Amino acid sequence: MDLAPDQIVRLDESAPAVVLLDQRRLPGEVVELTCRTVPELAEAIRTLAVRGAPAIGVAAAYGLALAALRGDDLAEAERTLAASRPTAVNLFWALERLRDDPTPARARALHEKEVDRCRRMAAHAAELFAPNTRALTHCNAGGLATGGYGSAVGALRAAWERDRLEHVLVDETRPLLQGARLTAWELEQLGIPHAVIADSAAASMMARGDVDLIVTGADRIAANGDTANKIGTYSLAVLAKHHGIPFYVVAPSSTLDADTPTGASIPIEERDGSEITTRFAARNPAFDVTPRELITAIVTEDGAL
Ligand code: MRU
């Protein structure tokens, strides 16, 4: 089964509302969340009811269209959405694109184009898979994260369709378990063989020769190629280098940030420590930056860089 883009996020003009598949409740419950106002949508983004860089951008585009339908102050709506999460550049990219024309048609076109980019980059990325590849992925870069089809998971499904993929190891992705909850659920729906591993098991899986390739999505790619993605991605890239395993980033061009020269200037979200433990003080950076020299190739809809 494949999730249709409008099952993941859509604008309901009659309500009006932005309707999301509530990713906080997956895989246990498949329920929708209806956001009737921009502050409600911004809270849904902040709390990861909708998440993943391209999907955040799509939701924000629908959010500005919702604000226009409601007759809200558009500058205020944009500020509220822009303050929801700092790292994924797709959020700011989408807001900029809707600013001059915050119509439902424009938001839907942005959504459609993102899904189309995913399909194109997945086809390019699948070419990098040798027959019988055993892949490893981190976090969730599936249809849930892009508004349809997926980036890293899109690459996995395109490789699976071309008979080049044998199996996927899915990092559970502490602390919010996007891998164990969302990627495993999506791979199950797609019928792709997989197994969830503790994040800390990735090193020994590589050492014993169980990983041929690593593929992840991205939240922001700086002008020099340094790439921000879910916390734990950088350590995977270091491990990949040590074990001589290719490390691929698959992301649409909406994730490229020409205005940020290097990874050092990418704003890294620090989330509440209570997502890790409520008993002790905790630090909870949600993303890290992988330096470009650890990345074998960045694959966009235009091909591999
Ligand atoms: O905190 P999240 O779940 O929004 O983080 C998502 C990721 O890190 C994804 O890997 C990234 O956004 C790419 S999604 C195609």
Side-chain angles (χ1 to χ4, degrees):
M1 192 197 86
D2 190 9
L3 282 170
D6 70 353
Q7 284 178 281
I8 299 164
V9 52
R10 68 176 178 276
L11 179 69
D12 176 351
E13 275 173 79
S14 61
V18 177
V19 183
L20 314 164
L21 184 58
D22 190 339
Q23 299 188 33
R24 300 168 300 192
R25 314 266 293 265
L26 290 170
E29 293 173 285
V30 183
V31 290
E32 290 189 331
L33 177 72
T34 299
C35 303
R36 292 178 191 278
T37 66
V38 164
E40 279 173 29
L41 177 62
E43 183 64 6
I45 295 173
R46 197 188 65 73
T47 59
L48 276 55
V50 59
R51 43 135 311 274
I56 292 171
V58 170
Y62 285 135
L64 270 196
L66 171 67
L69 287 172
R70 287 171 48 89
D72 293 346
D73 178 333
L74 290 176
E76 173 68 19
E78 188 176 332
R79 275 195 297 277
T80 302
L81 289 164
S84 59
R85 293 192 77 188
T87 303
V89 75
N90 310 60
L91 169 63
F92 310 99
W93 172 88
L95 290 173
E96 204 178 303
R97 261 146 200 83
L98 265 284
R99 192 174 293 147
D100 295 335
D101 183 21
T103 55
R106 181 83 176 234
R108 288 197 183 101
L110 181 143
H111 188 179
E112 256 172 51
K113 282 187 190 152
E114 280 296 66
V115 178
D116 179 60
R117 286 186 191 102
C118 284
R119 290 183 184 279
R120 284 158 52 204
M121 66 202 183
H124 291 303
E127 298 299 314
L128 302 168
F129 286 60
N132 305 316
T133 292
R134 293 154 310 155
L136 183 148
T137 191
H138 190 68
C139 195
N140 171 262
L144 290 167
T146 60
Y149 200 80
S151 56
V153 171
L156 293 170
R157 60 196 284 188
W160 175 249
E161 282 160 15
R162 288 160 179 72
D163 225 7
R164 295 182 180 196
L165 180 65
E166 186 177 305
H167 188 265
V168 184
L169 290 175
V170 181
D171 271 1
E172 64 175 345
T173 316
R174 291 275 302 155
L176 296 178
L177 305 181
Q178 287 93 333
R181 293 188 304 107
L182 306 176
T183 301
W185 184 72
E186 287 196 54
L187 292 175
E188 182 183 76
Q189 310 280 314
L190 295 165
I192 299 178
H194 62 280
V196 177
I197 57 169
D199 298 325
S200 47
S204 67
M205 292 301 208
M206 290 184 219
R208 57 205 250 186
D210 287 351
V211 180
D212 300 312
L213 165 162
I214 298 172
V215 62
T216 73
D219 281 81
R220 189 185 295 234
I221 301 173
N224 75 338
D226 293 349
T227 295
N229 192 49
K230 179 55 55 196
I231 192 78
T233 303
Y234 172 36
S235 42
L236 280 180
V238 173
L239 287 168
K241 181 91 171 176
H242 180 74
H243 293 99
I245 296 168
F247 182 93
Y248 297 117
V249 171
V250 181
S253 54
S254 52
T255 309
L256 302 175
D257 181 6
D259 297 333
T260 297
T262 71
S265 336
I266 297 178
I268 298 296
E269 178 181 19
E270 177 112 14
R271 295 184 64 84
D272 203 282
S274 63
E275 289 179 349
I276 296 176
T277 174
T278 49
R279 172 67 179 80
F280 301 106
R283 291 286 306 276
N284 188 12
F287 299 95
D288 57 27
V289 174
T290 300
R292 67 172 177 180
E293 57 271 18
L294 296 179
I295 301 172
T296 313
I298 295 172
V299 183
T300 72
E301 67 272 18
D302 296 322
L305 306 171

